Amino acid sequence: MSGNENHMSARGVGAEPEPIKSVALRHPGRWIAAVVVLGLFGLFVYGAATNAAFEWDVYGQYLFDKRISAAAWKTIQLTVLAMAIAIGLGVILAVMRLSPNPVLRTAAWVYLWIFRGTPVYVQLVFWGLFPSIYKTIDLGIPFVHQFAHIDLQNLSAAFLFAVIGLALNEAAYMAEIVRAGISSVSEGQTEASVALGMTWSQTMRRTVLPQAMRVIIPPTGNELISMLKTTSLVTAIPYSLELYGRSRDISGANFHPIPLLLVAATWYLAITSILMIGQFYLERYYSKGASRTLTARQLQALADAQGRPVTVTPDADTLPDTPGGERK
């Protein structure tokens, strides 16, 4: 018998193999890079804290000023209203781009060409000059009867023009995002829905859009965050009651521009952080079924169906409050 056969007979056929002694692979470069990054970050924080030009006492004085908080609320209103109009208009433009009608398809293309091809600041300046271009607006049947007469020069509607300018510009980008999301769903899904007797609206609502949302949500969240920051350009209209315009007006009165800019940046970061958290949960909700890895909730439902207990171990993709199962 060979040496290996003697060793196997000595251990016994049913004996378990000896455990493998593994040694973790060391990565000294990662630790060095981490130390360098932390060191540079510490130096930056120390330099900013000890630099008198930042005027941290003035920063603390105006951080929760009522004028600043009111301006932050105006910024949120601008963002939400503009994005709501942009999403609705973007869906219409996306459907027009996918329409077999050449007139609708061409009109949508021209809209995207104009609003994506010119800077948003130039568009906002145009909307600020809109009352000078069109002094009055008459609503009614042309050459027959007028229902309403609006004098734009005497109308103080800077906030309205700001919302319209931001929304029309954003709608061009949302149209391409929605079109890409709809196009990402395979034609077999639509054919299967039609074979089941669904109408076009039912197919879009129950089959296409739920699957397209997985593609639409991430860029839409990015556009929402970008819209929040783009509101700082509405001073071109001019409208200065939003966050950046208000902080600039205050700094022009007290001659402390640096701490007021830091105050505005802090509020932008706070609102953006909340939006990023919401985007994370939306992406996770609409990404169900995109991965073969079952979530804790899916594992629990599968175990309940089979009548077996399950132990859920929290990981990076499992929240501590996931219902069902017991924690290790």
Side-chain angles (χ1 to χ4, degrees), residues 1-13:
M1 297 177 65
S2 61
N4 290 338
E5 293 176 349
N6 293 332
H7 182 66
M8 292 178 62
S9 61
R11 289 193 320 172
V13 178

Side-chain angles (χ1 to χ4, degrees), residues 83-135:
M83 279 302 299
I85 298 174
I87 291 173
L89 184 57
V91 172
I92 297 175
L93 290 170
V95 174
M96 292 173 62
R97 283 293 308 274
L98 298 173
S99 173
N101 189 321
V103 177
L104 297 180
R105 191 168 59 248
T106 303
W109 183 87
V110 171
Y111 181 96
L112 267 63
W113 173 60
I114 294 175
F115 283 92
R116 294 175 65 192
T118 55
V120 61
Y121 189 84
V122 174
Q123 297 174 28
L124 291 174
V125 171
F126 172 83
W127 283 105
L129 297 174
F130 193 81
S132 300
I133 301 173
Y134 299 97
K135 297 179 175 58

Side-chain angles (χ1 to χ4, degrees), residues 19-20 72 121 136 159 227 229 298 313 322:
I20 299 175
Y121 189 84
T136 60
F159 181 85
M227 173 65 73
K229 296 178 290 186
Q298 292 170 334
T313 303
T322 302

Side-chain angles (χ1 to χ4, degrees), residues 5 18 25 27 56 59 91-92 159 162 184 212 214 220 225 237 250 313 315 325:
E5 293 176 349
E18 296 180 1
L25 183 62
H27 301 279
W56 295 110
Y59 168 85
V91 172
I92 297 175
F159 181 85
S184 66
R214 182 169 55 89
T220 302
I225 294 173
I237 285 183
I250 296 175
T313 303
D315 51 21

Side-chain angles (χ1 to χ4, degrees), residues 65-267:
D65 188 273
K66 291 183 178 180
R67 293 169 294 178
I68 296 296
S69 57
W73 175 238
K74 286 291 185 181
T75 298
I76 295 174
Q77 290 179 336
L78 280 172
T79 304
V80 172
L81 292 175
M83 279 302 299
I85 298 174
I87 291 173
L89 184 57
V91 172
I92 297 175
L93 290 170
V95 174
M96 292 173 62
R97 283 293 308 274
L98 298 173
S99 173
N101 189 321
V103 177
L104 297 180
R105 191 168 59 248
T106 303
W109 183 87
V110 171
Y111 181 96
L112 267 63
W113 173 60
I114 294 175
F115 283 92
R116 294 175 65 192
T118 55
V120 61
Y121 189 84
V122 174
Q123 297 174 28
L124 291 174
V125 171
F126 172 83
W127 283 105
L129 297 174
F130 193 81
S132 300
I133 301 173
Y134 299 97
K135 297 179 175 58
T136 60
I137 294 180
D138 296 325
L139 301 178
I141 302 175
F143 309 108
V144 177
H145 180 70
Q146 294 181 359
F147 298 109
H149 177 80
I150 303 175
D151 187 359
L152 294 180
Q153 288 190 329
N154 296 326
L155 182 65
S156 300
F159 181 85
L160 176 61
F161 286 136
V163 171
I164 294 175
L166 293 173
L168 293 181
N169 176 265
E170 183 60 34
Y173 297 93
M174 286 303 306
E176 291 297 280
I177 292 173
V178 174
R179 184 178 67 87
I182 295 176
S183 300
S184 66
V185 181
S186 64
E187 295 181 359
Q189 300 289 327
T190 304
E191 294 173 355
S193 300
V194 174
L196 292 174
M198 292 185 182
T199 63
W200 182 85
S201 60
Q202 290 175 334
T203 300
M204 292 296 295
R205 186 174 66 254
R206 299 180 180 180
T207 304
V208 177
L209 286 179
Q211 298 182 66
M213 292 301 288
R214 182 169 55 89
V215 179
I216 294 174
I217 287 297
T220 302
N222 295 335
E223 290 298 317
L224 178 62
I225 294 173
S226 178
M227 173 65 73
L228 175 71
K229 296 178 290 186
T230 307
T231 56
S232 62
L233 299 179
V234 296
T235 53
I237 285 183
Y239 180 78
S240 60
L241 296 181
E242 45 77 40
L243 187 55
Y244 170 72
R246 196 62 172 151
S247 63
R248 187 189 61 177
D249 292 344
I250 296 175
S251 65
N254 61 12
F255 302 102
H256 295 288
I258 296 177
L260 266 301
L261 280 176
L262 291 176
V263 167
T266 302
W267 277 93

